[in-house]
């Protein structure tokens, strides 16, 4: 991609283009995952998970752009803010183990892994401890949907992530604490998420299926039957998928 740095471009455009180029260069230098991430297992299409696990190149023009990379970084920054706010509110929130490592788990000989935002081990009355903590920073529309419908209905991918973490870290006895920050208004939504054992098992079975099929060279069925379906149009491997055999 050629970036326009000529004098006719706006100052915003020039600076933004340079920032985007720097973000994309930094991302290109990151070590790629060699495992299936637990945070992704809740997506609807198992074939998309296969492409992701196999590190298949995305379709031409489908690379993550600079604006999305900035949104990702915003999520990390707001997570740090929420950590500080919860601690100031009296919650004993731990984001690292005693040895400095992030809380997480590995299964299937390291081919399935997950890293959690934190564990709350103590704090105000009215809560049971220890408890898994997960946080998201959402746009106003998504935030309102979570607030009105609850996590499981509004964001099933996040609900699957929470269930897996509760199961694998043995934090299933007490409901997880899920927090969401409205990126537009800075409102906070908090939900207690009871452990869903059936969902955790379903996602674990899916991980085994995706990993086994991918390593055997087998392509799992598409979740959708029309390339124009919303999920397919948003998929980074849409062209690759629909060129492949059914």
């Amino acid at each position: 991609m050629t970036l326009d740095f000529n004098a006719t471009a706006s100052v915003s455009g020039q600076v933004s283009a340079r920032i985007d180029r720097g973000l994309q260069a930094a991302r290109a230098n990151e070590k790629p995952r060699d495992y299936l991430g637990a945070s992704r297992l809740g997506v609807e299409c198992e074939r998309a998970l296969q492409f992701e696990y196999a590190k298949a190149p995305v379709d031409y023009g489908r690379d993550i752009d600079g604006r999305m990379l900035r949104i990702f970084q915003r999520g990390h920054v707001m997570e740090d803010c929420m950590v500080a706010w919860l601690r100031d509110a009296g919650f004993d929130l731990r984001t690292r183990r005693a040895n400095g490592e992030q809380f997480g788990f590995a299964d299937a000989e390291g081919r399935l892994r997950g890293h959690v935002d934190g564990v709350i081990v103590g704090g105000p009355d009215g809560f049971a401890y220890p408890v898994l903590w997960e946080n998201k920073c959402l746009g106003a529309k998504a935030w309102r949907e979570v607030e009105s419908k609850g996590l499981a209905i509004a964001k099933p991918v996040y609900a699957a992530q929470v269930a897996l973490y509760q199961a694998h870290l043995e934090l299933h006895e007490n409901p997880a604490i899920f927090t969401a920050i409205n990126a537009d208004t800075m409102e906070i939504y908090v939900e207690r998420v009871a452990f869903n054992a059936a969902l955790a098992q379903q996602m674990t079975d899916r991980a085994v299926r995706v990993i086994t099929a991918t390593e055997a060279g087998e392509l799992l069925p598409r979740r959708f039957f029309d390339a124009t379906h919303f999920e397919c149009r948003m998929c980074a491997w849409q062209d690759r998928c629909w060129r492949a055999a059914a």
Side-chain angles (χ1 to χ4, degrees), residues 39-51:
S39 63
R40 296 284 298 151
L41 272 176
V43 303
E44 291 199 57
C45 185
E46 293 182 357
R47 184 179 289 191
L49 286 173
Q50 283 192 281
F51 290 141

Side-chain angles (χ1 to χ4, degrees), residues 4-246:
D4 182 9
F5 296 126
N6 62 53
T8 63
S10 69
V11 173
S12 294
Q14 293 180 55
V15 174
S16 295
R18 291 181 180 275
I19 289 173
D20 290 352
R21 186 173 65 176
L23 286 169
Q24 290 168 327
R27 180 179 175 83
N29 288 328
E30 292 177 357
K31 182 179 179 181
R33 282 182 175 180
D34 58 356
Y35 59 88
L36 182 61
S39 63
R40 296 284 298 151
L41 272 176
V43 303
E44 291 199 57
C45 185
E46 293 182 357
R47 184 179 289 191
L49 286 173
Q50 283 192 281
F51 290 141
E52 187 169 328
Y53 175 59
K55 297 188 286 295
V58 302
D59 296 341
Y60 178 78
R62 295 289 188 102
D63 294 301
I64 299 175
D65 63 19
R67 186 183 72 87
M68 286 304 302
L69 292 174
R70 294 197 295 275
I71 290 174
F72 293 162
Q73 288 201 358
R74 179 188 68 183
H76 296 316
V77 171
M78 295 314 302
E79 181 181 319
D80 290 341
C81 289
M82 183 60 81
V83 169
W85 298 337
L86 287 171
R87 287 174 175 167
D88 288 344
F91 291 94
D92 187 353
L93 170 59
R94 315 287 179 87
T95 57
R96 298 278 174 177
R97 298 183 185 275
N99 61 6
E101 293 182 359
Q102 189 177 6
F103 288 104
F105 75 91
D107 203 352
E109 298 180 339
R111 292 175 291 182
L112 170 64
R113 300 183 199 174
H115 300 90
V116 311
D117 290 339
V119 178
I120 302 175
V121 300
D125 294 338
F127 296 87
Y129 307 102
V131 59
L132 174 75
W133 171 68
E134 282 295 314
N135 180 73
K136 302 295 180 184
C137 181
L138 304 173
K141 181 179 179 181
W143 187 91
R144 286 194 298 268
E145 188 177 12
V146 172
E147 183 191 34
S148 62
K149 299 178 181 178
L151 185 66
I153 295 176
K155 294 293 181 182
V157 174
Y158 299 160
Q161 179 182 2
V162 168
L164 275 169
Y165 292 165
Q166 287 173 301
H168 285 272
L169 272 71
E170 298 185 355
L171 290 170
H172 55 280
E173 291 187 2
N174 300 318
I177 293 179
F178 172 80
T179 55
I181 303 170
N182 186 322
D184 296 336
T185 67
M186 296 306 293
E187 294 172 278
I188 297 172
Y189 171 75
V190 182
E191 180 178 337
R192 285 186 171 110
V193 184
F195 177 53
N196 187 333
L199 179 59
Q201 187 61 59
Q202 178 187 351
M203 291 299 104
T204 300
D205 293 343
R206 167 177 277 188
V208 171
R209 187 162 56 249
V210 168
I211 291 170
T212 301
T214 304
E215 295 184 351
E218 300 172 2
L219 203 56
L220 292 171
R222 302 183 189 96
R223 172 64 179 83
F224 308 102
F225 304 101
D226 184 348
T228 64
H229 187 280
F230 172 76
E231 294 282 353
C232 291
R233 287 190 287 108
M234 297 299 293
C235 180
W237 298 279
Q238 181 191 33
D239 295 339
R240 174 185 295 273
C241 176
W242 287 91
R243 286 198 309 267

